[in-house]
Amino acid sequence: MNKQIEQILNELNPKQKTEIKAYLSENDHDIKAIFEFLHIFNELLIQVNRSDNLVQMSSIIQDKLSSLMDTSNFIIAILNEKKTHIRFPYFKDEEDNLSELTDESLTIPIDKKGSLTAKVIRSGKPLILNREQIIEFSNAESGQKIGTTPQFWYGFPLKVDKDTIGAIIIQNYQKGGMKLSSQDIQLLEYLITQLAPVFERKITEDRLTQVENQFSSFIENTQDLIYQTDLE
């Protein structure tokens, strides 16, 4: 194995190093692509683990992956705790506005017809489509189409063990624009499997922060009410 690649592998924890070596031995990748991927993989894991919340983490992922592919249209979809609706804590899209694609709570039901994102999360499997295939899918879904049709659409499930907790979506609207190679897709799939547990942790941390903020707000309002009552 290339010495530079081995050096980067040594910076990872033993489990990650073993998994990546096994993955690379089973798949045919050129040395340059492997080196670029491992360099980004190492930096990305360090930065996402240091991120403060889910939105910041998503922004870091979009930025780091942009050196490998066009991530101008980059979306994070998360399944709610009841597994009934999908929310979009991170939504960067050149053509569509989130509020136009979702309901008032900025979510969509998991069984929403015409939603490729919902299909990925329900199946727990990657979905890669070109423009013609997307139109075919929409027609099969009773003609229901959501948002502007891109030239290419890539959906990767975020899975922790056997549970799908969300998805990462990358799409491109430009004719002749980004089309990921099979090698790009394989590397991206592996990267996302490593990021999924970090997503799960950040989701939990964000929920705890929200609960703490709500409790603090409740205490403040209660204290104000007690103070006003005392004055009366």
Side-chain angles (χ1 to χ4, degrees):
M1 183 174 287
N2 183 283
K3 288 184 178 180
Q4 288 179 306
I5 293 176
E6 188 69 39
Q7 183 179 359
I8 293 177
L9 285 174
N10 286 334
E11 296 178 11
L12 303 174
N13 67 48
K15 182 181 178 182
Q16 290 168 341
K17 181 177 179 179
T18 300
E19 288 178 344
I20 290 180
K21 276 191 170 183
Y23 172 79
L24 294 177
S25 66
E26 294 172 0
N27 296 276
D28 184 26
H29 301 295
D30 63 74
I31 295 297
K32 182 181 178 182
I34 293 173
F35 180 74
E36 289 179 350
F37 169 76
L38 288 177
H39 181 69
I40 289 173
F41 178 82
N42 190 36
E43 285 191 348
L44 186 53
L45 285 184
I46 292 172
Q47 292 190 28
V48 296
N49 277 291
R50 291 175 178 173
S51 61
D52 294 331
N53 52 54
L54 185 58
V55 172
Q56 187 183 72
M57 173 182 167
S58 302
S59 179
I60 290 170
I61 296 171
Q62 181 186 20
D63 179 63
K64 286 298 180 183
L65 290 182
S66 67
S67 61
L68 292 177
M69 62 195 71
D70 183 359
T71 57
S72 301
N73 302 282
F74 188 83
I75 298 167
I76 301 296
I78 299 297
L79 188 61
N80 69 350
E81 288 185 279
K82 295 181 179 179
K83 299 185 177 182
T84 58
H85 286 74
I86 301 166
R87 65 186 180 91
F88 301 88
Y90 194 80
F91 191 94
K92 301 295 181 181
D93 193 286
E94 296 174 313
E95 297 292 334
D96 293 323
N97 186 293
L98 179 59
S99 62
E100 297 173 353
L101 306 179
T102 57
D103 59 23
E104 292 181 358
S105 61
L106 299 182
T107 65
I108 62 170
I110 185 64
D111 58 354
K112 186 172 180 62
K113 284 187 173 294
S115 171
L116 294 170
T117 301
K119 181 177 176 63
V120 169
I121 295 176
R122 288 197 307 268
S123 68
K125 298 178 181 179
L127 185 61
I128 299 166
L129 301 175
N130 59 31
R131 181 179 176 84
E132 290 71 26
Q133 292 169 322
I134 296 170
I135 293 173
E136 184 179 337
F137 171 81
S138 297
N139 292 335
E141 295 280 296
S142 302
Q144 296 193 40
K145 183 175 77 74
I146 300 175
T148 306
T149 304
Q151 295 296 319
F152 297 102
W153 193 94
Y154 303 90
F156 301 94
L158 288 166
K159 300 188 71 173
V160 178
D161 296 325
K162 294 182 179 180
D163 292 331
T164 302
I165 62 172
I168 292 180
I169 310 302
I170 302 173
Q171 53 190 3
N172 189 281
Y173 294 102
Q174 304 301 319
K175 288 185 177 180
M178 175 196 73
K179 181 180 181 181
L180 298 181
S181 67
S182 59
Q183 176 175 279
D184 292 332
I185 292 170
Q186 288 177 350
L187 292 174
L188 192 53
E189 284 180 348
Y190 180 78
L191 174 61
I192 290 172
T193 64
Q194 299 301 304
L195 289 173
V198 188
F199 267 98
E200 183 181 45
R201 189 173 74 250
K202 293 298 179 185
I203 291 168
T204 301
E205 290 174 357
D206 280 5
R207 284 172 179 163
L208 288 174
T209 299
Q210 184 178 11
V211 170
E212 289 172 357
N213 290 338
Q214 289 173 344
F215 182 73
S216 296
S217 178
F218 171 76
I219 294 298
E220 289 176 4
N221 292 335
T222 301
Q223 289 175 338
D224 289 343
L225 180 60
I226 293 173
Y227 180 72
Q228 290 174 5
T229 303
D230 288 343
L231 289 178
E232 294 173 357

